[in-house]
Amino acid sequence: MDMNTLQKDPYNIIITGVGGQGNVTASRMLAGMLVGRGYSVTIGETFGASQRGGSVMSHMRISSHGAWSPQIPKGKVDLVVSLEPSETIKVLSGYGNPETQSLSNDRPIYPVRVIAGDDKYPSMDEIRATIENLTARSFMISATEEALKLGNPIYQNVIMIGAVGGMDLLPVSIDDFREVIGRGMPEDKAAVNVKAYEIGEALVRN
Amino acid sequence: MSNLLDTNEGAHYLYMGNDAIVRGALEGGVSVAAGYPGTPSSEIIEQLARISDRRSLYVEWATNEKIATEIAAAASFAGLRSICTMKQNGVHVASDFLLHLTGTGVRGGMVVVVCEDPGALSSQNEADARYFAKMLEVPLLEPGDFQEAKDMMKWALELSEELKTFVIFRSVTRMSHASGNVVIGELPENEPRAYFQYKGPLLDFLTGPMVTGPGVVAYARTVQQGRLKRAVSLFEQSRFNIYAGPERPELLIITSSACYLYSKEAIHTLNLGDRVGLLKLGTTWPLPEGLVRKHLAAAQKVLVVEEPQDFMEENIKILAADAAGEVGVKTFYGKKSGHVPTSGELNPDIIMNTLKGILGIQYEPVPQEYATKAFQSMFKSPGRELTFCPGCPHRASFLSLHNALALDNRDGFVCGDVGCYGIGVLPAGFSTVKTNFSMGSGLGLATGFGKLTKFGMNQPVVAVCGDSTFFHAVMPALVDAVHHQSDVTLVVLDNSGTAMTGFQPHPGLAVDAMGETAPSIDIEAVCRAIGADVASSDPFDVERTEKTLLGMLKKKGAKVVILRQICALSPEKRGKKKYQMSVREDVCIGENCGCNRMCTRILRCPGIYWDTARKVSRIDEVICAGCGVCASVCPSGAIQKAEVA
């Protein structure tokens, strides 16, 4: 991976999931790594009522030339990072194109209408097939399961970011992550996060 | 974020728009800041409060937006620079005071920061507060990116002080809650002294009393209009008004705010840089007339891109009509012509469609084959209806309200209010909420309904409000209800903070915005002092809560039930389970139980789901917050709770 150039400018990422999963934290971590490398990053997000159990998205634009629209145009996403499997499909169907790649966490969060029995959640096979049909390359990893092995589901987002690093699409490395995580955290806590990043990286490389 | 106080001038950081506004206010020498929480404005006061001790600031979460504005104005009268912050509808609350403030003007720079929410992503309206600038005759500034958000905020404070009028600084969700790189400037040494001079003559607003009244209004308005004229001449030269494009564009786009970034993106994506000109205005009221005239003269077709209403479009058309002799007759495109949507949020795709229509060009973002399969795939992902968080006390409160109203059996209903509990209108809140308007309107409406008994209305009426909303606007309604003996039950959903916007403290808590100990105002004591019949309960005690509510519904007069339980997302509760929940599969009778899946079909908590293969309910360990409420709805006792040590 060439650590000094972007594959495209702007390079467009959508991080998606369900309100409460930590979309914002994930986008901040990744953005922090890229800003540390000297890139301009624009992120578009929504907070507040729209987060309560709803689908959420962070639109991220990475560029060498300043601010872009905080909303990515339709069909222009390069990478979809989804903290919830079925949400990957929603984003791909609006913003994907034949070259789009995706990374999904395989742990479903059932919408309340599914819980109540008023709606159906697709099978994992159907989700996988749909994602593959809409992407040039896709990964589905067990980020939540791996996080639970580390003792807390909150590490799932770091595992996902590690996996993004492992996909070799962006000019970032684990050292950039170490720097970002080290800024606001005691050493022992940062170490678990670095471990989570490594796990994510390994999940897509193996 | 500690880098908000970085003195390393020229360093660049990724700032959320609201952080950029904070940094700009600090660079502009702000001393006092007050606001009322509201998405997307809340982080401005939060961040300023967090650093208040290191910058010698006074920062408060005011009881409501009008008071926030008054706090900021007092600082300005005493010679300090100040800001007040609010979301779009907050301006309507503050406007009575602001209307009068244009009568005196200000002394220290004072900026009213309004963060709007086009598309109502987290609002019950998409009000366009820019009209206040025109109505009140004050300058309006709108940043077009993150760097500008910082630079313009600093300038807004300077401009206000120079012109001696408050200035409206308007942001939107896609600016306030978006993030981008910002190069920071110098932080001034800031040790101002506050002193209110009033010994000068009447009508000398720099040294005399700050008063307006009969006989002086016409004079005061003339003075204010003079300030606006000076604003126009400053705006003509402003670096926040930028043009990019050919000298004589085929189409001129005039835009502001986040729409600038959308328009820029649309021009880039459609590769129209040599055909379309883009005039981005940062000073949108009063308009920089000379500059706009100059650009109008260079193009025959003009498109105005803005959200949510056609504020600029109308003002530019008036300007173009006045200058028709000089600039010629223009063809305008925008909301009036139907080329730009008149409601909802805009985005680059909408602008691209507009440009395609006007210029007759073709553009498809993806090949047709991909578009077709993308469209077909869309429905494979189930929709997500809004719901209360796992462990949210509101789910339990609404369950008891629903049950009490059903047992009472007189078609009772709930008047909702502004907060997460607005979700009470959806199945997540058992569809109990039947009206929902502005802050405090729940009890106001309920009080009105409660007086309709003389017209034969026998339906019990309940109003709900949160603890912060109680102080903001519910107290006057409670006075009204008690004084007029309205038959109404107010349920205060007290979750110990302004939860939806991120746990800002309010007067009911023993802490203020800056983290200092503050006298807390006891909601229960206030309600009793006003004269209401008051009871309280823990909503997680479903049985007792239901009984308390049912008892109150049957009583006459104004009653208050306080349901107290801390928000599941609050910093002190988050990630800590009170109970470890489990389902005993040998006890759950599944679909043979007469309850018909009470736990999942009715309760609809994200933490418990129906295992379709095993035909029993199951707890999702990752999602469950351990509140224990589901155990109280299971008639067979299959859902077990074990206290976590």
Side-chain angles (χ1 to χ4, degrees):
Chain A
M1 170 89 226
D2 179 353
M3 296 301 274
N4 295 309
T5 48
L6 289 168
Q7 295 186 351
K8 272 183 64 210
D9 196 331
Y11 189 87
N12 299 328
I13 303 177
I14 294 180
I15 301 183
T16 185
V18 179
Q21 276 194 293
N23 245 66
V24 174
T25 319
S27 70
R28 290 291 157 76
M29 281 190 288
L30 187 55
M33 292 162 69
L34 288 151
V35 170
R37 286 248 164 216
Y39 291 102
S40 287
V41 180
T42 310
I43 315 173
E45 270 155 346
T46 55
F47 312 157
S50 47
Q51 283 201 312
R52 305 293 185 246
S55 306
V56 290
M57 278 193 281
S58 300
H59 287 207
M60 193 184 291
R61 325 288 307 268
I62 305 151
S63 175
S64 302
H65 323 286
W68 288 82
S69 157
Q71 296 193 76
I72 295 171
K74 295 274 186 290
K76 294 287 176 196
V77 73
D78 299 304
L79 171 66
V80 178
V81 180
S82 184
L83 308 176
E84 202 277 350
S86 74
E87 292 302 309
T88 324
I89 299 172
K90 264 188 210 128
V91 173
L92 285 170
S93 60
Y95 296 91
N97 65 61
E99 306 305 316
T100 303
Q101 303 199 20
S102 76
L103 169 73
S104 314
N105 180 18
D106 67 3
R107 172 95 175 196
I109 293 185
Y110 299 119
V112 279
R113 284 175 47 78
V114 170
I115 285 173
D118 302 337
D119 202 352
K120 283 218 163 7
Y121 193 88
S123 73
M124 285 310 284
D125 286 345
E126 194 179 359
I127 292 176
R128 265 179 232 274
T130 310
I131 292 173
E132 278 166 20
N133 192 29
L134 293 175
T135 49
R137 177 177 174 234
S138 66
F139 291 93
M140 180 83 82
I141 63 169
S142 301
T144 309
E145 298 313 313
E146 292 295 329
L148 286 169
K149 286 185 204 160
L150 284 177
N152 198 322
I154 58 168
Y155 296 119
Q156 70 180 19
N157 294 345
V158 178
I159 292 172
M160 292 296 284
I161 297 302
V164 170
M167 284 175 82
D168 287 331
L169 296 168
L170 295 170
V172 290
S173 74
I174 192 163
D175 295 331
D176 300 305
F177 179 74
R178 273 201 190 94
E179 199 179 320
V180 167
I181 207 78
R183 264 178 232 152
M185 217 174 255
E187 227 167 276
D188 54 331
K189 278 198 175 163
V192 190
N193 280 284
V194 171
K195 175 89 186 122
Y197 187 98
E198 285 169 344
I199 290 170
E201 224 176 18
L203 282 174
V204 295
R205 282 193 175 149
N206 297 335
Chain B
M1 221 181 283
S2 55
N3 60 25
L4 283 171
L5 288 176
D6 197 335
T7 50
N8 188 12
E9 201 183 327
H12 77 114
Y13 292 111
L14 183 72
Y15 276 165
M16 188 163 82
N18 280 346
D19 290 335
I21 292 170
V22 166
R23 176 71 194 196
L26 293 169
E27 290 180 11
V30 73
S31 293
V32 170
Y36 185 80
T39 310
S41 71
S42 311
E43 296 79 11
I44 301 170
I45 293 293
E46 270 182 358
Q47 294 285 33
L48 283 167
R50 215 162 277 160
I51 56 181
S52 55
D53 55 336
R54 280 171 287 162
R55 272 304 284 182
S56 171
L57 306 173
Y58 175 72
V59 185
E60 87 165 44
W61 281 122
T63 311
N64 62 39
E65 294 86 349
K66 179 168 175 280
I67 297 170
T69 310
E70 289 154 352
I71 302 288
S76 162
F77 294 170
L80 305 180
R81 289 189 176 179
S82 65
I83 65 168
C84 54
T85 70
M86 61 204 69
K87 69 184 290 172
Q88 71 273 13
N89 33 321
V91 191
H92 293 253
V93 177
S95 64
D96 190 4
F97 176 71
L98 289 174
L99 170 66
H100 294 89
L101 188 56
T102 57
T104 61
V106 302
R107 293 180 187 172
M110 172 177 164
V111 181
V112 177
V113 181
V114 185
C115 302
E116 292 187 15
D117 190 18
L121 303 167
S122 195
S123 302
Q124 290 167 231
N125 62 80
E126 53 173 354
D128 191 329
R130 294 177 299 170
Y131 289 91
F132 279 100
K134 191 171 180 180
M135 189 160 67
L136 300 175
E137 302 178 311
V138 296
L140 171 67
L141 306 180
E142 300 184 61
D145 63 28
F146 311 98
Q147 183 69 45
E148 280 196 2
K150 179 195 79 68
D151 295 345
M152 193 184 258
M153 185 63 223
K154 173 177 188 276
W155 180 56
L157 282 161
E158 293 159 358
L159 180 74
S160 163
E161 194 157 304
E162 183 180 346
L163 295 176
K164 301 294 175 212
T165 171
F166 74 86
V167 167
I168 297 180
F169 178 102
R170 185 236 192 195
S171 176
V172 292
T173 301
R174 300 294 181 183
M175 191 64 61
S176 279
H177 281 175
S179 304
N181 293 49
V182 174
V183 179
I184 60 170
E186 190 189 350
L187 273 189
E189 290 303 320
N190 196 23
E191 295 288 335
R193 301 284 305 162
Y195 180 76
F196 178 46
Q197 293 193 45
Y198 56 78
K199 292 179 182 162
L202 267 177
L203 300 184
D204 176 352
F205 297 121
L206 294 182
T207 61
M210 298 298 257
V211 289
T212 62
V216 304
V217 171
Y219 167 75
R221 285 198 57 212
T222 310
V223 172
Q224 183 67 13
Q225 286 159 6
R227 293 171 181 142
L228 272 197
K229 283 209 183 83
R230 284 185 50 213
V232 174
S233 62
L234 292 169
F235 291 176
E236 297 286 6
Q237 308 301 326
S238 169
R239 66 188 168 101
F240 298 111
N241 301 322
I242 344 171
Y243 177 79
E247 212 167 293
R248 300 198 69 82
E250 193 177 329
L251 176 75
L252 172 69
I253 299 180
I254 305 181
T255 189
S256 70
S257 192
C259 292
Y260 166 56
L261 295 172
Y262 307 155
S263 302
K264 212 160 90 166
E265 181 103 26
I267 292 170
H268 169 85
T269 308
L270 299 178
N271 202 15
L272 290 172
D274 54 351
R275 293 174 67 184
V276 176
L278 183 59
L279 176 62
K280 194 280 294 183
L281 295 180
T283 66
T284 45
W285 186 259
L287 286 170
E289 294 179 7
L291 180 81
V292 175
R293 270 202 306 270
K294 184 185 106 187
H295 287 285
L296 286 177
Q300 204 277 318
K301 294 177 176 173
V302 182
L303 165 68
V304 184
V305 178
E306 63 188 317
E307 56 189 4
Q309 283 177 265
D310 54 353
F311 176 75
M312 273 200 302
E313 184 177 330
E314 282 186 354
N315 295 323
I316 289 166
K317 282 177 177 171
I318 293 169
L319 195 154
D322 284 343
E326 177 193 337
V327 304
V329 176
K330 304 294 152 191
T331 307
F332 278 97
Y333 301 92
K335 293 186 193 282
K336 198 65 115 227
S337 70
H339 287 85
V340 177
T342 54
S343 62
E345 192 182 31
L346 301 184
N347 60 45
D349 294 295
I350 293 173
I351 316 298
M352 280 193 260
N353 265 328
T354 301
L355 291 173
K356 278 163 69 180
I358 297 171
L359 298 173
I361 48 175
Q362 297 296 315
Y363 168 75
E364 294 306 330
V366 290
Q368 190 52 50
E369 183 206 2
Y370 188 90
T372 307
K373 64 183 186 184
F375 180 78
Q376 286 162 348
S377 305
M378 194 159 62
F379 306 101
K380 295 195 172 162
S381 174
R384 292 191 186 267
E385 193 173 277
L386 292 188
T387 186
F388 296 119
C389 304
C392 175
H394 296 335
R395 179 177 290 104
S397 298
F398 278 111
L399 177 69
S400 295
L401 260 171
H402 171 267
N403 291 348
L405 287 166
L407 287 167
D408 178 86
N409 200 24
R410 286 180 290 159
D411 288 341
F413 59 95
V414 175
C415 296
D417 218 298
V418 182
C420 294
Y421 42 93
I423 294 174
V425 73
L426 299 175
F430 315 98
S431 309
T432 45
V433 169
K434 300 302 179 192
T435 73
N436 204 1
F437 293 87
S438 59
M439 294 286 287
S441 296
L443 185 59
L445 283 168
T447 301
F449 280 123
K451 290 307 292 181
L452 300 181
T453 44
K454 73 186 286 183
F455 301 102
M457 188 164 155
N458 184 36
Q459 295 163 277
V461 52
V462 175
V464 292
C465 75
D467 34 337
S468 187
T469 309
F470 176 82
F471 293 107
H472 180 286
V474 173
M475 279 170 63
L478 185 60
V479 169
D480 199 281
V482 170
H483 180 66
H484 295 102
Q485 302 174 69
S486 177
D487 293 322
V488 62
T489 308
L490 169 66
V491 176
V492 182
L493 303 167
D494 184 351
N495 58 6
S496 297
T498 318
M500 185 190 258
T501 48
F503 304 100
Q504 295 80 12
H506 58 64
L509 302 177
V511 63
D512 66 14
M514 299 184 290
E516 283 167 24
T517 308
S520 62
I521 292 152
D522 182 352
I523 295 177
E524 196 166 329
V526 169
C527 295
R528 279 189 216 285
I530 290 173
D533 187 350
V534 185
S536 65
S537 181
D538 174 357
F540 286 170
D541 185 343
V542 177
E543 199 179 326
R544 181 167 177 268
T545 302
E546 194 178 298
K547 207 187 268 176
T548 307
L549 287 168
L550 188 59
M552 283 300 205
L553 290 180
K554 301 216 180 289
K555 288 191 191 174
K556 303 289 281 178
K559 297 121 336 186
V560 178
V561 179
I562 296 164
L563 298 181
R564 199 173 292 121
Q565 180 61 245
I566 298 174
C567 172
L569 299 182
S570 74
E572 52 191 300
K573 229 184 191 185
R574 189 163 200 166
K576 291 172 210 133
K577 294 187 185 187
K578 182 161 189 220
Y579 298 108
Q580 187 63 41
M581 305 303 296
S582 59
V583 178
R584 278 188 59 181
E585 288 188 23
D586 57 323
V587 179
C588 178
I589 321 169
E591 276 161 5
N592 296 324
C593 179
C595 79
N596 192 10
R597 298 189 283 111
M598 279 285 281
C599 53
T600 52
R601 186 179 56 89
I602 302 295
L603 194 65
R604 292 168 163 254
C605 174
I608 183 166
Y609 65 98
W610 191 256
D611 187 330
T612 43
R614 303 174 72 109
K615 307 254 185 246
V616 288
S617 67
R618 294 173 82 90
I619 304 292
D620 186 327
E621 279 304 323
V622 173
I623 298 172
C624 174
C627 71
V629 170
C630 53
S632 15
V633 304
C634 177
S636 60
I639 304 177
Q640 307 275 309
K641 54 183 191 185
E643 200 140 351
V644 176

